Amino acid sequence: MVGEGVPQGRLLGVVEPVDEQLAGSKMALTSLLRTVWPGEFVDERDARFINDRVHANIQRDGTFSVVPQIKGGVTTPDQLRRLADVADKYRVPMVKITGGQRIDLLGVRKQDLPAVWADLDMPSGYAYVKSFRTVKTCVGTDYCRFGLGDSTGLGVAIEQRYQGLESPAKLDLAVAGCPRNCSEALVKDVGLVGVTVFAVSEEDGDVVVEL
């Protein structure tokens, strides 16, 4: 049993680091234990990487990147205004569109992180952890004349269902509404592509088209 013989709240007590080189192993072990035994694992915040503790991704200069969730790449004018207001208020040096169809606020100071998240009032996009992160989508049958399936709706539903699910490494998904693959579903960890299926009817031999 995980943690057997170790006091409550000290699951990692058996691997206390003896030097700085071994200290990093606690973060990897924490991620592994949470993934394999989520029910039995007792969380220790000091065993988490800094990104997990502050819900942001540390950068090379010591500042942080903040990426709120934008499900399936679909946002609203209200969300965009809040992002712009926060960027102005906290003097964010770079606002960038990410490869996962989200908006990244880069260069946020550590002391500003709690206020930034409070002002955004948006859930985290989990861009800083080893977990399910995002579902990239194309517009699919909502608007595209080539769309064969509702890629946007499916992408949003998948992201809502699995948001924050931990995994051994970051997990990126995509849904493409047709084989043109505008959302790059074929190069993601998991990708779904809408296709047309031709079949022959067993009754009369007619060709049946299924989407």
Side-chain angles (χ1 to χ4, degrees), residues 4-133:
E4 186 175 359
V6 180
Q8 182 77 0
R10 296 299 300 167
L11 272 174
L12 298 181
V14 294
V15 288
E16 287 295 337
V18 295
D19 56 38
E20 291 185 3
Q21 185 175 3
L22 293 178
S25 65
K26 291 188 71 174
M27 294 176 289
L29 184 57
T30 295
S31 175
L32 179 63
L33 292 175
R34 279 204 311 255
T35 301
V36 178
W37 291 288
E40 295 86 353
F41 178 71
V42 179
D43 189 32
E44 289 186 44
R45 288 193 61 80
D46 65 347
R48 293 186 181 189
F49 188 54
I50 180 63
N51 293 355
D52 300 287
R53 299 199 297 269
V54 300
H55 307 292
N57 196 6
I58 193 167
Q59 304 299 300
R60 63 190 306 165
D61 62 354
T63 63
F64 289 81
S65 119
V66 170
V67 183
Q69 185 181 52
I70 298 179
K71 298 184 184 73
V74 180
T75 186
T76 64
D78 178 61
Q79 286 183 340
L80 293 175
R81 275 189 286 268
R82 269 182 281 162
L83 284 159
D85 289 344
V86 165
D88 285 338
K89 180 177 180 179
Y90 297 96
R91 299 181 180 180
V92 176
M94 180 181 285
V95 180
K96 189 179 186 305
I97 306 297
T98 74
Q101 298 179 331
R102 297 178 294 187
I103 295 177
D104 191 352
L105 304 180
L106 288 149
V108 179
R109 299 180 302 172
K110 183 179 180 181
Q111 60 267 32
D112 290 334
L113 288 172
V116 165
W117 279 116
D119 288 350
L120 284 174
D121 192 25
M122 296 170 66
S124 167
Y126 299 97
Y128 50 86
V129 293
K130 294 178 180 179
S131 71
F132 169 83
R133 293 193 175 187

Side-chain angles (χ1 to χ4, degrees), residues 172-176 185-186 188-193:
D172 292 322
L173 283 71
V175 182
L186 298 179
K188 297 297 184 181
D189 298 304
V190 178
L192 303 174
V193 180

